[in-house]
Amino acid sequence: MQTDENMNFTLDLDELDAMLDEQRSRMDHTLKLEIEHFTDPLCGWCYGMEPATTMLRFRLGERVDYHYTMGLMIPDAAQMVGTGLEAVRRFNAMKGQLAAGYSIMANKTGMPMSWAHVPGLQPDDIETVNSSLAYEAIKIVDGPDAASRFLKLLRQSAFAFDMQIGKQGNVDLLVESTGVDMAVFRDAIESGRAQYELDGEVARTRSLGIEAFPTLLITYGSMRTVVGGYQTPEDLAAIVADLTDGYVTLEAPEYSKERALDLLRQFDRVSAEEMRAAFDLTEEDLEISVGVLKNEGLVDVTPRGGSFFISLARS
């Protein structure tokens, strides 16, 4: 077949636009946004980033496959501070840095935070093996959604309620509070299944060269990007829109009492900043909305760390 570079074509632009719209429509219905979040229960900036991650998961719903990969940030505190008298000096200096870091995170993220427990920390209090294994066991027993809610509970307990989640006893208390079948949970731990899952996730984290948390691996069809470090809700929305060429947008849903309750059913307990970000509310609208829910007996409000948490009212 011969071609002629001087041949003329009549192009129907309206028809072309319609065809492109149809392709975009099909793409929206056939592709999911996939996000792998590399993390650790004691990742402070991961906790600070929960307004962004909660917003994304809530707004996209079933259009996103969002899952966590544990990186085991501190398997052994001695690897960080050493042993002996020098270790004591190093750990005391680290505690000073932690307290300063908490203050910075609170100011930057708006999340409830407390560092009253920091002066009393012992080296094994910052190890994350026990909490990571508990996360894996709950995922085995009750699935990834339950494990995700447990991870949120771990972080809230550590960063806002001064609980030292490196301690096995404290982790056990949090596990029991979830209502998981404790016999099945213990079997997942004692059989080594939880350790096997954790080892696999740590190996994956290291094989990809990921050394800092949070790190997000975001995939949309053949398109992929890696995002490292804390992101605001606006940052994350822009990253998703750019990666997907605008096919996936994170438009805020209109606020209603039922939608607010849906948010709490999905995530159990959220911070004020998470609810604000989920619906793109002003501070004034947030206070009014939460006040109405509380006055109607629909939610409980727990003041903490310069802000507050919202959860479904206990029956």
Coordinates of all heavy atoms in Angstrom, one line a residue, residues 79-172:
Q79 N 20.8 -2.2 68.1 CA 21.5 -1.9 66.8 C 21.6 -0.4 66.6 O 22.4 0.0 65.8 CB 20.6 -2.6 65.7 CG 20.6 -4.1 65.7 CD 19.8 -4.6 64.6 OE1 19.1 -3.9 63.8 NE2 19.7 -6.0 64.5
M80 N 20.7 0.3 67.3 CA 20.7 1.8 67.1 C 21.6 2.5 68.1 O 22.3 3.4 67.8 CB 19.3 2.3 67.2 CG 18.4 1.8 66.1 SD 16.7 2.6 66.3 CE 17.1 4.3 66.0
V81 N 21.5 2.0 69.4 CA 22.2 2.8 70.5 C 23.4 2.0 71.1 O 24.1 2.6 71.9 CB 21.2 3.1 71.6 CG1 20.1 4.0 71.0 CG2 20.6 1.9 72.2
G82 N 23.6 0.8 70.7 CA 24.7 0.0 71.2 C 24.3 -0.6 72.6 O 23.2 -0.7 73.0
T83 N 25.4 -0.8 73.4 CA 25.2 -1.4 74.7 C 26.1 -0.6 75.7 O 27.0 0.1 75.3 CB 25.5 -2.9 74.8 OG1 26.9 -3.1 74.3 CG2 24.6 -3.7 73.9
G84 N 25.9 -0.9 77.0 CA 26.8 -0.3 78.0 C 26.5 1.2 78.3 O 25.4 1.7 77.9
L85 N 27.4 1.9 79.0 CA 27.2 3.2 79.4 C 27.0 4.2 78.2 O 26.2 5.1 78.3 CB 28.3 3.7 80.3 CG 28.5 3.0 81.6 CD1 29.7 3.5 82.4 CD2 27.2 3.2 82.5
E86 N 27.7 4.0 77.2 CA 27.6 4.8 76.0 C 26.2 4.7 75.4 O 25.6 5.7 74.9 CB 28.6 4.4 74.9 CG 28.6 5.3 73.7 CD 29.0 6.7 74.0 OE1 29.6 7.0 75.1 OE2 28.8 7.6 73.1
A87 N 25.6 3.5 75.5 CA 24.2 3.3 75.0 C 23.2 4.2 75.8 O 22.3 4.7 75.2 CB 23.8 1.9 75.0
V88 N 23.4 4.3 77.1 CA 22.5 5.1 77.9 C 22.6 6.6 77.4 O 21.6 7.2 77.3 CB 22.9 5.0 79.4 CG1 22.1 6.0 80.2 CG2 22.8 3.6 79.9
R89 N 23.8 7.1 77.2 CA 23.9 8.5 76.7 C 23.3 8.7 75.4 O 22.6 9.6 75.2 CB 25.4 8.8 76.6 CG 25.7 10.3 76.3 CD 27.1 10.5 76.0 NE 27.5 9.9 74.7 CZ 27.3 10.3 73.5 NH1 26.5 11.4 73.4 NH2 27.7 9.6 72.5
R90 N 23.5 7.7 74.5 CA 22.9 7.8 73.1 C 21.4 7.8 73.2 O 20.7 8.5 72.5 CB 23.4 6.7 72.3 CG 24.9 6.8 71.8 CD 25.3 5.6 71.0 NE 26.7 5.7 70.7 CZ 27.4 4.7 70.2 NH1 26.9 3.5 70.1 NH2 28.7 4.8 69.9
F91 N 20.9 6.9 74.1 CA 19.4 6.8 74.1 C 18.8 8.0 74.7 O 17.7 8.4 74.3 CB 19.0 5.5 74.9 CG 17.5 5.2 74.8 CD1 17.0 4.8 73.6 CD2 16.7 5.2 75.9 CE1 15.6 4.5 73.5 CE2 15.4 4.9 75.8 CZ 14.8 4.6 74.6
N92 N 19.4 8.6 75.7 CA 18.9 9.8 76.3 C 18.8 10.9 75.3 O 17.9 11.7 75.2 CB 19.7 10.2 77.5 CG 19.4 9.4 78.7 OD1 18.3 8.8 78.8 ND2 20.4 9.3 79.6
A93 N 19.9 11.0 74.4 CA 19.9 12.0 73.4 C 18.8 11.7 72.4 O 18.1 12.6 71.9 CB 21.3 12.0 72.7
M94 N 18.6 10.4 72.1 CA 17.5 10.1 71.1 C 16.1 10.5 71.7 O 15.3 11.0 70.9 CB 17.5 8.6 70.9 CG 16.4 8.1 69.9 SD 16.4 6.3 69.8 CE 18.0 6.0 69.0
K95 N 15.9 10.3 73.0 CA 14.6 10.7 73.6 C 14.4 12.2 73.4 O 13.3 12.7 73.2 CB 14.6 10.3 75.0 CG 14.4 8.8 75.2 CD 14.1 8.4 76.6 CE 15.2 8.5 77.6 NZ 14.9 7.9 78.9
G96 N 15.5 13.0 73.6 CA 15.3 14.4 73.4 C 14.9 14.7 71.9 O 14.1 15.6 71.7
Q97 N 15.5 14.0 71.0 CA 15.2 14.2 69.6 C 13.7 13.8 69.3 O 13.0 14.4 68.5 CB 16.1 13.4 68.7 CG 17.6 13.9 68.8 CD 18.6 13.0 68.1 OE1 18.2 11.9 67.7 NE2 19.8 13.4 68.0
L98 N 13.3 12.7 70.0 CA 11.9 12.2 69.8 C 10.9 13.2 70.2 O 9.9 13.5 69.5 CB 11.7 10.9 70.5 CG 12.2 9.6 69.9 CD1 12.0 8.4 70.9 CD2 11.5 9.3 68.6
A99 N 11.1 13.8 71.4 CA 10.2 14.8 71.9 C 10.1 16.0 71.0 O 9.0 16.5 70.7 CB 10.6 15.2 73.3
A100 N 11.3 16.5 70.5 CA 11.3 17.6 69.6 C 10.6 17.2 68.3 O 9.8 18.0 67.7 CB 12.7 18.0 69.3
G101 N 10.8 16.0 67.8 CA 10.1 15.5 66.6 C 8.6 15.4 66.7 O 7.9 15.8 65.8
Y102 N 8.1 15.0 67.9 CA 6.7 14.9 68.1 C 6.1 16.3 68.0 O 5.0 16.5 67.5 CB 6.4 14.3 69.5 CG 6.5 12.8 69.6 CD1 7.3 12.1 68.8 CD2 5.7 12.2 70.5 CE1 7.3 10.7 68.9 CE2 5.7 10.8 70.6 CZ 6.5 10.1 69.8 OH 6.6 8.7 69.9
S103 N 6.8 17.3 68.6 CA 6.3 18.7 68.6 C 6.2 19.2 67.2 O 5.2 19.8 66.8 CB 7.2 19.6 69.4 OG 6.7 20.9 69.4
I104 N 7.2 18.9 66.4 CA 7.2 19.3 65.0 C 6.1 18.6 64.2 O 5.3 19.3 63.4 CB 8.6 19.0 64.3 CG1 9.7 19.9 64.9 CG2 8.5 19.2 62.8 CD1 11.1 19.4 64.5
M105 N 5.9 17.3 64.4 CA 4.8 16.6 63.7 C 3.4 17.1 64.1 O 2.6 17.3 63.2 CB 4.9 15.1 64.0 CG 6.0 14.4 63.2 SD 6.1 12.6 63.5 CE 6.8 12.5 65.1
A106 N 3.2 17.4 65.4 CA 1.9 17.9 65.8 C 1.6 19.2 65.1 O 0.5 19.5 64.6 CB 1.9 18.1 67.3
N107 N 2.6 20.1 65.1 CA 2.4 21.4 64.4 C 2.1 21.3 62.9 O 1.3 22.1 62.4 CB 3.5 22.4 64.7 CG 3.6 22.8 66.2 OD1 2.6 22.9 66.9 ND2 4.8 23.0 66.7
K108 N 2.8 20.4 62.3 CA 2.8 20.3 60.8 C 1.5 19.6 60.4 O 0.9 19.9 59.3 CB 4.0 19.7 60.3 CG 4.1 19.7 58.8 CD 5.4 19.1 58.3 CE 5.6 19.1 56.8 NZ 5.7 20.5 56.3
T109 N 1.1 18.6 61.1 CA 0.0 17.7 60.6 C -1.3 17.9 61.2 O -2.3 17.6 60.7 CB 0.4 16.2 60.9 OG1 0.4 16.0 62.3 CG2 1.8 15.9 60.4
G110 N -1.4 18.6 62.4 CA -2.7 18.8 63.1 C -3.2 17.6 63.8 O -4.3 17.6 64.3
M111 N -2.4 16.5 63.8 CA -2.9 15.3 64.5 C -2.6 15.4 66.0 O -1.7 16.0 66.5 CB -2.1 14.1 63.9 CG -2.5 13.7 62.5 SD -4.1 13.0 62.4 CE -3.8 11.3 62.9
P112 N -3.5 14.7 66.8 CA -3.3 14.7 68.2 C -2.1 14.0 68.6 O -1.8 12.9 68.1 CB -4.6 14.0 68.8 CG -5.6 14.0 67.6 CD -4.8 14.0 66.4
M113 N -1.2 14.6 69.4 CA 0.0 14.0 69.8 C 0.4 14.3 71.2 O 0.1 15.4 71.7 CB 1.2 14.4 68.9 CG 1.0 14.0 67.4 SD 2.5 14.0 66.4 CE 3.3 12.5 67.0
S114 N 1.0 13.4 71.9 CA 1.5 13.6 73.2 C 2.9 12.9 73.3 O 3.1 11.9 72.8 CB 0.6 13.0 74.3 OG 1.2 13.1 75.6
W115 N 3.8 13.6 74.0 CA 5.1 13.0 74.2 C 5.5 13.0 75.7 O 6.6 12.9 76.1 CB 6.2 13.8 73.5 CG 6.1 15.3 73.5 CD1 6.8 16.1 74.4 CD2 5.3 16.1 72.7 NE1 6.5 17.4 74.1 CE2 5.6 17.5 73.1 CE3 4.4 15.9 71.7 CZ2 4.9 18.6 72.5 CZ3 3.8 17.0 71.1 CH2 4.1 18.3 71.5
A116 N 4.4 12.9 76.5 CA 4.6 12.8 78.0 C 5.3 11.5 78.4 O 6.0 11.5 79.4 CB 3.3 12.9 78.7
H117 N 5.2 10.5 77.6 CA 5.8 9.2 77.9 C 7.2 9.1 77.5 O 7.9 8.2 78.0 CB 5.0 8.1 77.2 CG 5.2 8.1 75.7 ND1 4.5 9.1 74.9 CD2 5.9 7.4 74.8 CE1 4.9 8.9 73.6 NE2 5.7 7.9 73.6
V118 N 7.7 10.0 76.7 CA 9.1 9.9 76.1 C 10.2 9.8 77.2 O 11.1 9.0 77.1 CB 9.3 11.0 75.1 CG1 10.8 11.0 74.7 CG2 8.4 10.8 73.9
P119 N 10.1 10.7 78.3 CA 11.2 10.6 79.3 C 11.4 9.2 79.9 O 12.5 8.8 80.3 CB 10.8 11.7 80.3 CG 10.0 12.6 79.5 CD 9.2 11.8 78.5
G120 N 10.3 8.5 80.0 CA 10.3 7.2 80.7 C 10.6 6.0 79.8 O 10.6 4.9 80.2
L121 N 10.8 6.3 78.5 CA 11.1 5.2 77.6 C 12.4 4.4 77.9 O 13.4 5.0 78.3 CB 11.2 5.7 76.1 CG 10.0 6.2 75.4 CD1 10.3 6.8 74.1 CD2 9.0 5.0 75.2
Q122 N 12.3 3.1 77.7 CA 13.4 2.2 77.8 C 13.7 1.7 76.3 O 12.9 1.8 75.5 CB 13.2 1.0 78.7 CG 12.9 1.4 80.1 CD 14.1 2.1 80.8 OE1 15.2 1.7 80.6 NE2 13.8 3.3 81.4
P123 N 15.0 1.3 76.1 CA 15.3 0.9 74.7 C 14.3 -0.1 74.0 O 13.9 0.1 72.9 CB 16.7 0.3 74.8 CG 17.3 1.1 75.9 CD 16.2 1.3 76.9
D124 N 13.9 -1.1 74.8 CA 13.0 -2.1 74.2 C 11.6 -1.5 73.9 O 10.8 -2.2 73.2 CB 12.9 -3.4 75.0 CG 12.5 -3.2 76.4 OD1 12.2 -2.0 76.8 OD2 12.4 -4.2 77.2
D125 N 11.3 -0.4 74.5 CA 10.0 0.2 74.2 C 9.8 0.7 72.8 O 8.7 0.9 72.3 CB 9.7 1.4 75.2 CG 9.6 1.0 76.6 OD1 9.1 -0.2 76.8 OD2 9.9 1.7 77.5
I126 N 10.9 1.0 72.1 CA 10.8 1.5 70.7 C 11.0 0.4 69.7 O 11.0 0.6 68.5 CB 11.9 2.6 70.5 CG1 13.3 2.1 70.6 CG2 11.6 3.8 71.4 CD1 14.4 3.1 70.2
E127 N 11.2 -0.9 70.1 CA 11.3 -2.0 69.2 C 9.9 -2.3 68.7 O 8.9 -2.2 69.4 CB 11.9 -3.2 69.9 CG 13.3 -3.0 70.3 CD 13.9 -4.2 71.1 OE1 13.2 -5.2 71.3 OE2 15.1 -4.1 71.4
T128 N 9.8 -2.7 67.4 CA 8.5 -2.8 66.8 C 8.2 -4.2 66.3 O 7.3 -4.5 65.5 CB 8.4 -1.9 65.6 OG1 9.5 -2.1 64.7 CG2 8.4 -0.4 66.0
V129 N 8.9 -5.2 66.8 CA 8.6 -6.6 66.4 C 7.3 -7.1 67.0 O 6.5 -7.6 66.2 CB 9.8 -7.5 67.0 CG1 9.4 -9.0 66.7 CG2 11.1 -7.1 66.4
N130 N 7.0 -6.8 68.2 CA 5.8 -7.3 68.8 C 4.5 -6.8 68.2 O 3.6 -7.5 67.8 CB 5.7 -7.0 70.3 CG 6.8 -7.7 71.1 OD1 7.2 -8.8 70.8 ND2 7.3 -7.1 72.2
S131 N 4.5 -5.5 67.9 CA 3.4 -4.8 67.3 C 3.2 -5.2 65.8 O 2.1 -5.4 65.3 CB 3.5 -3.3 67.4 OG 4.7 -2.8 67.0
S132 N 4.4 -5.4 65.1 CA 4.3 -5.9 63.7 C 3.8 -7.3 63.6 O 3.0 -7.6 62.7 CB 5.7 -5.7 63.1 OG 6.1 -4.4 63.0
L133 N 4.2 -8.2 64.5 CA 3.7 -9.5 64.5 C 2.2 -9.6 64.8 O 1.5 -10.4 64.2 CB 4.5 -10.4 65.5 CG 5.9 -10.8 65.1 CD1 6.6 -11.5 66.3 CD2 5.8 -11.7 63.9
A134 N 1.8 -8.7 65.8 CA 0.3 -8.7 66.1 C -0.5 -8.2 64.9 O -1.5 -8.8 64.6 CB 0.1 -7.8 67.3
Y135 N 0.0 -7.3 64.2 CA -0.6 -6.8 62.9 C -0.7 -8.0 61.9 O -1.8 -8.2 61.4 CB 0.2 -5.7 62.3 CG -0.2 -5.4 60.9 CD1 -1.2 -4.5 60.6 CD2 0.4 -6.0 59.8 CE1 -1.6 -4.2 59.3 CE2 0.1 -5.7 58.5 CZ -1.0 -4.8 58.2 OH -1.3 -4.6 56.9
E136 N 0.3 -8.7 61.7 CA 0.3 -9.8 60.8 C -0.7 -10.9 61.2 O -1.4 -11.5 60.4 CB 1.7 -10.4 60.6 CG 2.7 -9.5 60.1 CD 2.5 -9.1 58.6 OE1 1.6 -9.6 58.0 OE2 3.3 -8.2 58.1
A137 N -0.7 -11.2 62.5 CA -1.6 -12.2 63.0 C -3.1 -11.8 62.8 O -3.9 -12.6 62.5 CB -1.3 -12.5 64.5
I138 N -3.4 -10.5 63.1 CA -4.8 -10.1 62.9 C -5.1 -10.2 61.4 O -6.3 -10.5 61.1 CB -5.0 -8.7 63.5 CG1 -5.0 -8.8 65.0 CG2 -6.2 -8.0 62.9 CD1 -5.3 -7.5 65.7
K139 N -4.2 -9.8 60.6 CA -4.5 -10.0 59.1 C -4.8 -11.4 58.7 O -5.6 -11.7 57.9 CB -3.3 -9.4 58.3 CG -3.5 -9.4 56.8 CD -2.5 -8.5 56.1 CE -1.1 -9.1 56.2 NZ -0.1 -8.4 55.4
I140 N -4.0 -12.3 59.3 CA -4.3 -13.8 59.1 C -5.7 -14.2 59.5 O -6.4 -14.9 58.9 CB -3.2 -14.6 59.7 CG1 -1.8 -14.4 59.0 CG2 -3.6 -16.1 59.7 CD1 -0.7 -15.0 59.8
V141 N -6.0 -13.7 60.7 CA -7.3 -14.2 61.4 C -8.5 -13.5 60.8 O -9.5 -14.1 60.5 CB -7.2 -14.0 62.9 CG1 -8.5 -14.3 63.5 CG2 -6.1 -14.8 63.5
D142 N -8.4 -12.2 60.7 CA -9.6 -11.4 60.3 C -9.5 -10.6 59.0 O -10.5 -9.9 58.6 CB -10.0 -10.4 61.5 CG -10.7 -11.1 62.6 OD1 -11.1 -12.2 62.4 OD2 -10.7 -10.5 63.7
G143 N -8.4 -10.7 58.4 CA -8.3 -10.0 57.1 C -7.6 -8.7 57.1 O -7.4 -8.1 58.2
P144 N -7.2 -8.1 55.9 CA -6.5 -6.9 55.8 C -7.2 -5.7 56.4 O -6.6 -4.7 56.9 CB -6.1 -6.8 54.4 CG -7.1 -7.7 53.7 CD -7.4 -8.8 54.6
D145 N -8.5 -5.6 56.2 CA -9.2 -4.4 56.7 C -9.1 -4.3 58.2 O -8.9 -3.3 58.8 CB -10.7 -4.5 56.3 CG -10.9 -4.2 54.8 OD1 -9.9 -3.7 54.2 OD2 -11.9 -4.5 54.3
A146 N -9.3 -5.5 58.9 CA -9.2 -5.5 60.4 C -7.8 -5.2 60.8 O -7.5 -4.5 61.8 CB -9.6 -6.9 60.9
A147 N -6.8 -5.7 60.0 CA -5.4 -5.4 60.4 C -5.1 -3.9 60.2 O -4.4 -3.3 61.0 CB -4.5 -6.2 59.5
S148 N -5.7 -3.3 59.1 CA -5.5 -1.9 58.9 C -6.1 -1.0 60.1 O -5.4 -0.1 60.5 CB -6.2 -1.5 57.6 OG -6.1 -0.1 57.4
R149 N -7.2 -1.4 60.5 CA -7.8 -0.7 61.7 C -7.0 -0.9 62.9 O -6.8 0.0 63.8 CB -9.2 -1.2 61.9 CG -10.2 -0.8 60.8 CD -11.7 -1.0 61.3 NE -12.0 -2.4 61.4 CZ -12.4 -3.2 60.4 NH1 -12.6 -2.7 59.2 NH2 -12.7 -4.5 60.7
F150 N -6.4 -2.1 63.1 CA -5.5 -2.3 64.3 C -4.3 -1.5 64.2 O -3.8 -1.0 65.2 CB -5.2 -3.8 64.3 CG -4.3 -4.2 65.5 CD1 -4.7 -4.0 66.8 CD2 -2.9 -4.6 65.3 CE1 -3.8 -4.3 67.9 CE2 -2.1 -4.9 66.3 CZ -2.5 -4.8 67.6
L151 N -3.7 -1.4 63.0 CA -2.5 -0.5 62.8 C -2.8 0.9 63.2 O -2.0 1.6 63.9 CB -2.0 -0.6 61.4 CG -0.8 0.3 61.0 CD1 0.4 -0.2 61.8 CD2 -0.5 0.1 59.5
K152 N -4.0 1.4 62.8 CA -4.4 2.8 63.2 C -4.5 2.9 64.7 O -4.1 3.8 65.4 CB -5.8 3.1 62.6 CG -6.3 4.5 62.9 CD -7.6 4.8 62.3 CE -7.4 5.1 60.8 NZ -6.8 6.5 60.6
L153 N -5.1 1.8 65.4 CA -5.2 1.8 66.8 C -3.8 1.8 67.5 O -3.6 2.5 68.5 CB -6.0 0.6 67.3 CG -6.1 0.3 68.8 CD1 -6.9 1.5 69.5 CD2 -6.8 -1.0 69.1
L154 N -2.9 1.0 67.0 CA -1.5 1.0 67.5 C -0.9 2.4 67.5 O -0.4 2.9 68.5 CB -0.6 0.1 66.7 CG -0.7 -1.4 66.9 CD1 0.0 -2.2 65.8 CD2 -0.2 -1.8 68.3
R155 N -1.1 3.1 66.3 CA -0.5 4.4 66.2 C -1.1 5.5 67.1 O -0.5 6.3 67.7 CB -0.5 4.9 64.8 CG 0.4 4.1 63.9 CD 0.4 4.6 62.5 NE 1.4 4.0 61.6 CZ 1.2 3.6 60.4 NH1 0.1 3.9 59.8 NH2 2.1 3.0 59.7
Q156 N -2.5 5.4 67.2 CA -3.1 6.4 68.1 C -2.7 6.1 69.5 O -2.5 7.1 70.2 CB -4.7 6.2 67.9 CG -5.2 6.6 66.6 CD -6.7 6.3 66.4 OE1 -7.3 5.6 67.3 NE2 -7.3 6.8 65.4
S157 N -2.6 4.9 69.9 CA -2.2 4.6 71.3 C -0.8 5.1 71.6 O -0.5 5.6 72.6 CB -2.3 3.0 71.5 OG -3.6 2.6 71.3
A158 N 0.1 4.9 70.6 CA 1.5 5.3 70.8 C 1.7 6.8 70.7 O 2.4 7.3 71.6 CB 2.4 4.6 69.7
F159 N 1.1 7.5 69.8 CA 1.4 8.9 69.5 C 0.5 9.8 70.2 O 0.8 11.0 70.4 CB 1.5 9.1 68.0 CG 2.6 8.4 67.3 CD1 2.4 7.3 66.5 CD2 3.9 8.9 67.5 CE1 3.4 6.7 65.9 CE2 5.0 8.2 66.9 CZ 4.7 7.1 66.1
A160 N -0.7 9.4 70.6 CA -1.6 10.3 71.2 C -2.0 9.9 72.7 O -2.3 10.8 73.5 CB -2.9 10.4 70.4
F161 N -1.9 8.6 73.0 CA -2.3 8.2 74.3 C -1.2 7.7 75.2 O -1.4 7.0 76.2 CB -3.4 7.1 74.2 CG -4.7 7.7 73.7 CD1 -4.9 7.7 72.3 CD2 -5.6 8.2 74.5 CE1 -6.1 8.2 71.8 CE2 -6.8 8.7 74.0 CZ -7.1 8.7 72.7
D162 N 0.1 7.9 74.8 CA 1.3 7.6 75.6 C 1.4 6.2 76.0 O 2.0 5.8 77.0 CB 1.2 8.5 76.9 CG 1.4 10.0 76.6 OD1 2.4 10.3 76.0 OD2 0.6 10.8 77.0
M163 N 0.9 5.3 75.1 CA 1.1 3.8 75.4 C 2.4 3.4 74.7 O 2.6 3.6 73.5 CB -0.1 3.0 74.9 CG 0.1 1.5 75.1 SD -1.3 0.5 74.6 CE -2.4 0.7 76.0
Q164 N 3.2 2.6 75.4 CA 4.4 2.1 74.9 C 4.2 0.8 74.2 O 4.1 -0.3 74.8 CB 5.5 2.0 76.0 CG 5.8 3.3 76.6 CD 6.6 3.2 77.9 OE1 7.0 2.2 78.3 NE2 6.9 4.4 78.5
I165 N 4.0 0.8 72.9 CA 3.6 -0.4 72.2 C 4.7 -1.3 71.8 O 4.5 -2.3 71.1 CB 2.8 0.0 70.9 CG1 3.7 0.8 69.9 CG2 1.6 0.8 71.2 CD1 3.1 0.9 68.5
G166 N 5.9 -1.0 72.3 CA 7.0 -2.0 72.2 C 6.8 -3.1 73.3 O 7.4 -4.2 73.1
K167 N 6.0 -2.8 74.3 CA 5.8 -3.8 75.4 C 4.8 -4.8 74.9 O 3.7 -4.5 74.5 CB 5.4 -3.1 76.7 CG 6.4 -2.2 77.3 CD 6.0 -1.7 78.6 CE 7.0 -0.7 79.2 NZ 8.3 -1.3 79.4
Q168 N 5.1 -6.1 75.1 CA 4.2 -7.2 74.7 C 2.8 -7.1 75.4 O 1.8 -7.3 74.8 CB 4.8 -8.5 75.0 CG 4.0 -9.7 74.5 CD 3.8 -9.7 73.0 OE1 4.8 -9.9 72.3 NE2 2.6 -9.6 72.5
G169 N 2.9 -6.8 76.7 CA 1.6 -6.7 77.5 C 0.7 -5.6 77.0 O -0.5 -5.8 76.9
N170 N 1.2 -4.5 76.5 CA 0.4 -3.4 76.0 C -0.2 -3.8 74.6 O -1.3 -3.5 74.3 CB 1.2 -2.1 75.8 CG 1.5 -1.5 77.2 OD1 0.8 -1.7 78.2 ND2 2.5 -0.6 77.2
V171 N 0.6 -4.5 73.8 CA 0.1 -5.0 72.5 C -1.0 -5.9 72.7 O -2.0 -5.9 72.1 CB 1.3 -5.6 71.7 CG1 0.7 -6.2 70.4 CG2 2.3 -4.6 71.4
D172 N -0.8 -6.8 73.7 CA -1.9 -7.8 74.0 C -3.2 -7.2 74.4 O -4.3 -7.6 74.0 CB -1.4 -8.8 75.1 CG -0.3 -9.7 74.7 OD1 -0.1 -9.9 73.5 OD2 0.4 -10.3 75.6

